[in-house]
Amino acid sequence: MQSVSVMVNVVGQMQAALRRLRMDPGSSEDYDRRWKQAVSHLTETPAPDFLELRKHGKLSVVDTQQLLHLMENAEDARTEGNENYAAGKFEGAFHAYSAGCHLLQGYQARHESENELVDDLRDKLFLNKAAAAVKIEEWQAAIEACDWVLWGSPDDAKALFRRAHGRWGAGDERGTLEDIE
């Protein structure tokens, strides 16, 4: 278990990496790779599959204060994404939503009531990321974002619709039909 000071330091370094990516986001196809590269020095282990960790209840547990800090930053990223999306700047929206997803995807709260709040914000970010990914034809990113939401809410209509759109764009007609049935 990491100490509070180490966790605060890691969050600070992640925020610095996010600022660098926001200033020069590059192309959408290499955003996730650049994010992982930007924070790779924080750990010696390879980047985990957070959805698999979530499925097994093994996300990192953080206290309420740390979680609120992460959620505030993720909400800021969501607001930025919403502004970009509304202005038709879909690539900027994709980057902002991705940043918010990255901030929250590895953590869970100690208390179930707090986890509901985290899951709600995280799902909104992933759904918004999927919508922006569809707009910029990043099909795989749309599919993966919806997979995250659908694991926790298998009947979520928005996630099914957006994943179907992503699957159609990726040429997966069978998967598209499964999602719309």
Side-chain angles (χ1 to χ4, degrees), residues 100-127:
C101 291
H102 284 298
L103 280 171
L104 291 181
Q105 70 183 355
Y107 301 102
Q108 65 186 21
R110 294 189 193 283
H111 308 288
E112 191 57 37
S113 61
E114 293 171 349
N115 273 328
E116 290 174 17
L117 294 171
V118 175
D119 288 342
D120 182 56
L121 177 56
R122 193 170 24 213
D123 287 354
K124 286 177 184 176
L125 284 160
F126 275 104
L127 284 171

mmCIF file of all heavy atoms in Angstrom, residues 100-127:
data_model
loop_
_atom_site.group_PDB
_atom_site.id
_atom_site.type_symbol
_atom_site.label_atom_id
_atom_site.label_comp_id
_atom_site.label_asym_id
_atom_site.label_seq_id
_atom_site.Cartn_x
_atom_site.Cartn_y
_atom_site.Cartn_z
ATOM 1 N N GLY A 100 -9.559 12.306 -18.274
ATOM 2 C CA GLY A 100 -10.414 12.017 -17.121
ATOM 3 C C GLY A 100 -10.521 10.530 -16.846
ATOM 4 O O GLY A 100 -10.490 10.094 -15.690
ATOM 5 N N CYS A 101 -10.639 9.747 -17.906
ATOM 6 C CA CYS A 101 -10.694 8.283 -17.745
ATOM 7 C C CYS A 101 -9.407 7.766 -17.111
ATOM 8 O O CYS A 101 -9.446 6.933 -16.199
ATOM 9 C CB CYS A 101 -10.902 7.608 -19.099
ATOM 10 S SG CYS A 101 -12.521 7.880 -19.844
ATOM 11 N N HIS A 102 -8.284 8.253 -17.602
ATOM 12 C CA HIS A 102 -6.995 7.810 -17.061
ATOM 13 C C HIS A 102 -6.865 8.148 -15.577
ATOM 14 O O HIS A 102 -6.278 7.381 -14.825
ATOM 15 C CB HIS A 102 -5.832 8.437 -17.835
ATOM 16 C CG HIS A 102 -5.596 7.812 -19.167
ATOM 17 N ND1 HIS A 102 -5.257 6.505 -19.344
ATOM 18 C CD2 HIS A 102 -5.662 8.344 -20.416
ATOM 19 C CE1 HIS A 102 -5.116 6.235 -20.625
ATOM 20 N NE2 HIS A 102 -5.357 7.344 -21.294
ATOM 21 N N LEU A 103 -7.392 9.282 -15.179
ATOM 22 C CA LEU A 103 -7.300 9.661 -13.767
ATOM 23 C C LEU A 103 -8.070 8.715 -12.858
ATOM 24 O O LEU A 103 -7.634 8.436 -11.747
ATOM 25 C CB LEU A 103 -7.829 11.081 -13.560
ATOM 26 C CG LEU A 103 -6.875 12.205 -13.917
ATOM 27 C CD1 LEU A 103 -7.599 13.542 -13.880
ATOM 28 C CD2 LEU A 103 -5.679 12.228 -12.985
ATOM 29 N N LEU A 104 -9.213 8.217 -13.302
ATOM 30 C CA LEU A 104 -10.087 7.440 -12.421
ATOM 31 C C LEU A 104 -10.039 5.929 -12.618
ATOM 32 O O LEU A 104 -10.446 5.193 -11.736
ATOM 33 C CB LEU A 104 -11.541 7.888 -12.590
ATOM 34 C CG LEU A 104 -11.891 9.269 -12.083
ATOM 35 C CD1 LEU A 104 -13.377 9.535 -12.298
ATOM 36 C CD2 LEU A 104 -11.538 9.415 -10.610
ATOM 37 N N GLN A 105 -9.563 5.473 -13.758
ATOM 38 C CA GLN A 105 -9.747 4.058 -14.070
ATOM 39 C C GLN A 105 -9.013 3.093 -13.148
ATOM 40 O O GLN A 105 -9.409 1.941 -13.037
ATOM 41 C CB GLN A 105 -9.397 3.770 -15.518
ATOM 42 C CG GLN A 105 -7.936 3.854 -15.853
ATOM 43 C CD GLN A 105 -7.678 3.635 -17.328
ATOM 44 O OE1 GLN A 105 -8.588 3.335 -18.086
ATOM 45 N NE2 GLN A 105 -6.443 3.773 -17.735
ATOM 46 N N GLY A 106 -8.011 3.530 -12.438
ATOM 47 C CA GLY A 106 -7.252 2.604 -11.599
ATOM 48 C C GLY A 106 -7.628 2.599 -10.134
ATOM 49 O O GLY A 106 -7.000 1.912 -9.336
ATOM 50 N N TYR A 107 -8.679 3.343 -9.761
ATOM 51 C CA TYR A 107 -8.962 3.528 -8.330
ATOM 52 C C TYR A 107 -10.396 3.184 -7.949
ATOM 53 O O TYR A 107 -11.313 3.298 -8.753
ATOM 54 C CB TYR A 107 -8.682 4.982 -7.931
ATOM 55 C CG TYR A 107 -7.257 5.372 -8.190
ATOM 56 C CD1 TYR A 107 -6.922 6.133 -9.309
ATOM 57 C CD2 TYR A 107 -6.246 4.950 -7.353
ATOM 58 C CE1 TYR A 107 -5.605 6.469 -9.568
ATOM 59 C CE2 TYR A 107 -4.922 5.285 -7.601
ATOM 60 C CZ TYR A 107 -4.611 6.041 -8.710
ATOM 61 O OH TYR A 107 -3.310 6.362 -8.969
ATOM 62 N N GLN A 108 -10.528 2.788 -6.711
ATOM 63 C CA GLN A 108 -11.845 2.598 -6.110
ATOM 64 C C GLN A 108 -11.799 3.124 -4.686
ATOM 65 O O GLN A 108 -10.731 3.261 -4.095
ATOM 66 C CB GLN A 108 -12.262 1.134 -6.134
ATOM 67 C CG GLN A 108 -11.394 0.222 -5.297
ATOM 68 C CD GLN A 108 -11.771 -1.239 -5.489
ATOM 69 O OE1 GLN A 108 -12.386 -1.600 -6.480
ATOM 70 N NE2 GLN A 108 -11.387 -2.071 -4.549
ATOM 71 N N ALA A 109 -12.965 3.412 -4.152
ATOM 72 C CA ALA A 109 -13.079 3.968 -2.807
ATOM 73 C C ALA A 109 -13.128 2.848 -1.768
ATOM 74 O O ALA A 109 -13.368 1.689 -2.089
ATOM 75 C CB ALA A 109 -14.335 4.819 -2.705
ATOM 76 N N ARG A 110 -12.928 3.234 -0.533
ATOM 77 C CA ARG A 110 -13.031 2.269 0.565
ATOM 78 C C ARG A 110 -14.488 1.901 0.852
ATOM 79 O O ARG A 110 -14.775 0.814 1.301
ATOM 80 C CB ARG A 110 -12.422 2.851 1.835
ATOM 81 C CG ARG A 110 -10.945 3.078 1.768
ATOM 82 C CD ARG A 110 -10.375 3.453 3.128
ATOM 83 N NE ARG A 110 -9.023 3.955 3.002
ATOM 84 C CZ ARG A 110 -7.955 3.188 2.799
ATOM 85 N NH1 ARG A 110 -8.080 1.897 2.691
ATOM 86 N NH2 ARG A 110 -6.753 3.725 2.695
ATOM 87 N N HIS A 111 -15.407 2.828 0.588
ATOM 88 C CA HIS A 111 -16.808 2.636 0.947
ATOM 89 C C HIS A 111 -17.664 2.514 -0.312
ATOM 90 O O HIS A 111 -17.470 3.250 -1.273
ATOM 91 C CB HIS A 111 -17.303 3.811 1.795
ATOM 92 C CG HIS A 111 -16.417 4.088 2.975
ATOM 93 N ND1 HIS A 111 -16.356 3.258 4.068
ATOM 94 C CD2 HIS A 111 -15.532 5.074 3.203
ATOM 95 C CE1 HIS A 111 -15.486 3.727 4.940
ATOM 96 N NE2 HIS A 111 -14.961 4.831 4.431
ATOM 97 N N GLU A 112 -18.622 1.612 -0.277
ATOM 98 C CA GLU A 112 -19.473 1.348 -1.443
ATOM 99 C C GLU A 112 -20.222 2.589 -1.916
ATOM 100 O O GLU A 112 -20.363 2.824 -3.116
ATOM 101 C CB GLU A 112 -20.456 0.223 -1.129
ATOM 102 C CG GLU A 112 -21.181 -0.294 -2.345
ATOM 103 C CD GLU A 112 -20.245 -0.803 -3.439
ATOM 104 O OE1 GLU A 112 -19.198 -1.409 -3.130
ATOM 105 O OE2 GLU A 112 -20.570 -0.584 -4.624
ATOM 106 N N SER A 113 -20.702 3.411 -0.988
ATOM 107 C CA SER A 113 -21.439 4.615 -1.389
ATOM 108 C C SER A 113 -20.544 5.564 -2.197
ATOM 109 O O SER A 113 -20.997 6.210 -3.140
ATOM 110 C CB SER A 113 -22.013 5.328 -0.171
ATOM 111 O OG SER A 113 -20.972 5.741 0.696
ATOM 112 N N GLU A 114 -19.268 5.637 -1.831
ATOM 113 C CA GLU A 114 -18.335 6.471 -2.595
ATOM 114 C C GLU A 114 -18.038 5.841 -3.947
ATOM 115 O O GLU A 114 -17.857 6.542 -4.944
ATOM 116 C CB GLU A 114 -17.040 6.670 -1.804
ATOM 117 C CG GLU A 114 -17.224 7.487 -0.543
ATOM 118 C CD GLU A 114 -15.989 7.506 0.335
ATOM 119 O OE1 GLU A 114 -15.039 6.717 0.092
ATOM 120 O OE2 GLU A 114 -15.959 8.303 1.279
ATOM 121 N N ASN A 115 -17.980 4.521 -3.997
ATOM 122 C CA ASN A 115 -17.729 3.840 -5.272
ATOM 123 C C ASN A 115 -18.832 4.120 -6.282
ATOM 124 O O ASN A 115 -18.563 4.222 -7.478
ATOM 125 C CB ASN A 115 -17.582 2.327 -5.068
ATOM 126 C CG ASN A 115 -16.165 1.943 -4.731
ATOM 127 O OD1 ASN A 115 -15.222 2.587 -5.179
ATOM 128 N ND2 ASN A 115 -16.010 0.915 -3.947
ATOM 129 N N GLU A 116 -20.059 4.261 -5.818
ATOM 130 C CA GLU A 116 -21.150 4.586 -6.734
ATOM 131 C C GLU A 116 -20.914 5.937 -7.394
ATOM 132 O O GLU A 116 -21.159 6.099 -8.597
ATOM 133 C CB GLU A 116 -22.482 4.581 -5.988
ATOM 134 C CG GLU A 116 -22.926 3.201 -5.559
ATOM 135 C CD GLU A 116 -24.174 3.215 -4.702
ATOM 136 O OE1 GLU A 116 -24.890 4.244 -4.686
ATOM 137 O OE2 GLU A 116 -24.441 2.194 -4.054
ATOM 138 N N LEU A 117 -20.419 6.908 -6.634
ATOM 139 C CA LEU A 117 -20.118 8.230 -7.200
ATOM 140 C C LEU A 117 -18.978 8.145 -8.211
ATOM 141 O O LEU A 117 -19.033 8.760 -9.279
ATOM 142 C CB LEU A 117 -19.753 9.208 -6.089
ATOM 143 C CG LEU A 117 -20.860 9.561 -5.105
ATOM 144 C CD1 LEU A 117 -20.300 10.372 -3.938
ATOM 145 C CD2 LEU A 117 -21.966 10.321 -5.808
ATOM 146 N N VAL A 118 -17.938 7.394 -7.862
ATOM 147 C CA VAL A 118 -16.799 7.231 -8.771
ATOM 148 C C VAL A 118 -17.239 6.527 -10.043
ATOM 149 O O VAL A 118 -16.917 6.957 -11.151
ATOM 150 C CB VAL A 118 -15.649 6.438 -8.092
ATOM 151 C CG1 VAL A 118 -14.530 6.163 -9.069
ATOM 152 C CG2 VAL A 118 -15.130 7.179 -6.891
ATOM 153 N N ASP A 119 -17.999 5.436 -9.888
ATOM 154 C CA ASP A 119 -18.462 4.694 -11.060
ATOM 155 C C ASP A 119 -19.322 5.561 -11.968
ATOM 156 O O ASP A 119 -19.204 5.487 -13.193
ATOM 157 C CB ASP A 119 -19.239 3.447 -10.638
ATOM 158 C CG ASP A 119 -18.346 2.364 -10.055
ATOM 159 O OD1 ASP A 119 -17.116 2.410 -10.274
ATOM 160 O OD2 ASP A 119 -18.886 1.466 -9.374
ATOM 161 N N ASP A 120 -20.176 6.380 -11.378
ATOM 162 C CA ASP A 120 -21.040 7.255 -12.169
ATOM 163 C C ASP A 120 -20.213 8.231 -13.006
ATOM 164 O O ASP A 120 -20.429 8.361 -14.216
ATOM 165 C CB ASP A 120 -22.001 8.008 -11.251
ATOM 166 C CG ASP A 120 -22.965 8.889 -12.024
ATOM 167 O OD1 ASP A 120 -23.672 8.345 -12.910
ATOM 168 O OD2 ASP A 120 -23.000 10.104 -11.763
ATOM 169 N N LEU A 121 -19.250 8.904 -12.388
ATOM 170 C CA LEU A 121 -18.410 9.850 -13.119
ATOM 171 C C LEU A 121 -17.549 9.127 -14.147
ATOM 172 O O LEU A 121 -17.419 9.565 -15.292
ATOM 173 C CB LEU A 121 -17.530 10.654 -12.149
ATOM 174 C CG LEU A 121 -16.542 11.633 -12.781
ATOM 175 C CD1 LEU A 121 -17.248 12.631 -13.700
ATOM 176 C CD2 LEU A 121 -15.757 12.361 -11.686
ATOM 177 N N ARG A 122 -16.978 8.007 -13.746
ATOM 178 C CA ARG A 122 -16.117 7.239 -14.651
ATOM 179 C C ARG A 122 -16.915 6.778 -15.871
ATOM 180 O O ARG A 122 -16.450 6.892 -17.001
ATOM 181 C CB ARG A 122 -15.544 6.047 -13.879
ATOM 182 C CG ARG A 122 -14.425 5.354 -14.557
ATOM 183 C CD ARG A 122 -13.697 4.347 -13.703
ATOM 184 N NE ARG A 122 -14.447 3.797 -12.603
ATOM 185 C CZ ARG A 122 -13.907 3.449 -11.440
ATOM 186 N NH1 ARG A 122 -12.621 3.616 -11.225
ATOM 187 N NH2 ARG A 122 -14.636 2.916 -10.490
ATOM 188 N N ASP A 123 -18.142 6.277 -15.648
ATOM 189 C CA ASP A 123 -18.963 5.838 -16.776
ATOM 190 C C ASP A 123 -19.319 6.995 -17.699
ATOM 191 O O ASP A 123 -19.315 6.848 -18.925
ATOM 192 C CB ASP A 123 -20.226 5.138 -16.275
ATOM 193 C CG ASP A 123 -19.957 3.749 -15.711
ATOM 194 O OD1 ASP A 123 -18.807 3.262 -15.802
ATOM 195 O OD2 ASP A 123 -20.902 3.146 -15.164
ATOM 196 N N LYS A 124 -19.619 8.168 -17.135
ATOM 197 C CA LYS A 124 -19.904 9.343 -17.968
ATOM 198 C C LYS A 124 -18.692 9.686 -18.839
ATOM 199 O O LYS A 124 -18.842 9.984 -20.029
ATOM 200 C CB LYS A 124 -20.267 10.548 -17.099
ATOM 201 C CG LYS A 124 -21.642 10.458 -16.488
ATOM 202 C CD LYS A 124 -21.904 11.645 -15.578
ATOM 203 C CE LYS A 124 -23.243 11.515 -14.872
ATOM 204 N NZ LYS A 124 -23.471 12.608 -13.914
ATOM 205 N N LEU A 125 -17.519 9.639 -18.234
ATOM 206 C CA LEU A 125 -16.302 9.942 -18.986
ATOM 207 C C LEU A 125 -16.083 8.936 -20.115
ATOM 208 O O LEU A 125 -15.762 9.312 -21.242
ATOM 209 C CB LEU A 125 -15.088 9.969 -18.055
ATOM 210 C CG LEU A 125 -14.956 11.209 -17.199
ATOM 211 C CD1 LEU A 125 -14.043 10.956 -16.003
ATOM 212 C CD2 LEU A 125 -14.425 12.375 -18.026
ATOM 213 N N PHE A 126 -16.253 7.649 -19.810
ATOM 214 C CA PHE A 126 -16.050 6.630 -20.839
ATOM 215 C C PHE A 126 -17.103 6.736 -21.950
ATOM 216 O O PHE A 126 -16.769 6.569 -23.128
ATOM 217 C CB PHE A 126 -16.029 5.226 -20.227
ATOM 218 C CG PHE A 126 -14.673 4.826 -19.711
ATOM 219 C CD1 PHE A 126 -14.406 4.838 -18.352
ATOM 220 C CD2 PHE A 126 -13.664 4.439 -20.571
ATOM 221 C CE1 PHE A 126 -13.161 4.473 -17.863
ATOM 222 C CE2 PHE A 126 -12.413 4.071 -20.102
ATOM 223 C CZ PHE A 126 -12.152 4.092 -18.747
ATOM 224 N N LEU A 127 -18.350 7.022 -21.584
ATOM 225 C CA LEU A 127 -19.377 7.193 -22.614
ATOM 226 C C LEU A 127 -19.084 8.413 -23.489
ATOM 227 O O LEU A 127 -19.259 8.373 -24.711
ATOM 228 C CB LEU A 127 -20.759 7.326 -21.970
ATOM 229 C CG LEU A 127 -21.365 6.037 -21.450
ATOM 230 C CD1 LEU A 127 -22.623 6.329 -20.641
ATOM 231 C CD2 LEU A 127 -21.682 5.077 -22.593
#
